[in-house]
Amino acid sequence: MRLALAEADKAWALGEVPVGAVVVRDGEVIATGFNQPIGTHDPTAHAEIVALRAAAAKLGNYRLPGCELYVTLEPCAMCSGAMMHARLARIVYGAPDPKTGACGSVVDMFANETLNHHAQVEGGILAEETGNMLRRFFAERRALAAAARRAPEAAPD
């Protein structure tokens, strides 16, 4: 999860929501990823998807059996669906996502017995640290937006 946090820092540095992900197999890091939807103009460029694509390319297979994905924020439905299709064995996430979380916060895709793949899911790993990072990021964004709104008022005529 520490490596996923380092990936999240990369996203923050680019002005992206700081979410990072790491794919591991047999204790070896296979791939990493961080959020990039804004910079790439790609709504699917979530950290998890970026990491899954890199892992699949490295392993030469879109299926990733035996792999685990560590991510700093609870995956959304899109990312959870991709993880199911990749046949991940385990998903480990940091902070819960009360707005779009699909591993138990809003919906629990992996507990849905009608779906064809079920991975082990573990949440709350370094949750305070990952949650604090997201809170700081959004507080900074709100402060910058407020300053930008005030800037025309402060400009001399």
Side-chain angles (χ1 to χ4, degrees):
M1 190 60 77
R2 293 270 176 222
L3 184 53
L5 276 164
E7 289 295 305
D9 280 332
K10 293 177 186 178
W12 191 336
L14 295 174
E16 303 275 1
V17 175
V19 178
V22 178
V23 177
V24 174
R25 185 175 70 179
D26 298 327
E28 177 188 346
V29 173
I30 302 297
T32 62
F34 57 88
N35 261 7
Q36 301 175 50
I38 297 167
T40 61
H41 310 291
D42 179 356
T44 69
H46 289 195
E48 301 96 310
I49 302 294
V50 172
L52 288 172
R53 287 176 179 158
K58 181 172 183 176
L59 297 177
N61 191 346
Y62 74 105
R63 300 280 198 218
L64 303 172
C67 290
E68 302 175 355
L69 186 137
Y70 293 79
V71 61
T72 57
L73 180 64
E74 180 182 358
C76 69
M78 174 186 69
C79 293
S80 294
M83 291 178 220
M84 284 182 188
H85 286 289
R87 304 295 193 260
L88 291 179
R90 183 172 177 234
I91 293 100
V92 179
Y93 68 88
D97 185 345
K99 294 184 179 184
T100 64
C103 294
S105 290
V106 177
V107 296
D108 192 345
M109 289 179 60
F110 292 98
N112 186 330
E113 293 179 13
T114 61
L115 296 172
N116 69 335
H117 179 71
H118 300 93
Q120 177 187 356
V121 177
E122 182 178 355
I125 306 304
L126 298 181
E128 186 173 339
E129 192 168 343
T130 57
N132 284 340
M133 174 185 267
L134 288 159
R135 283 186 286 280
R136 286 191 320 269
F137 173 80
F138 286 112
E140 180 181 285
R141 295 266 303 256
R142 286 189 297 275
L144 289 171
R149 286 190 303 274
R150 288 190 304 269
E153 299 168 6
D157 290 325

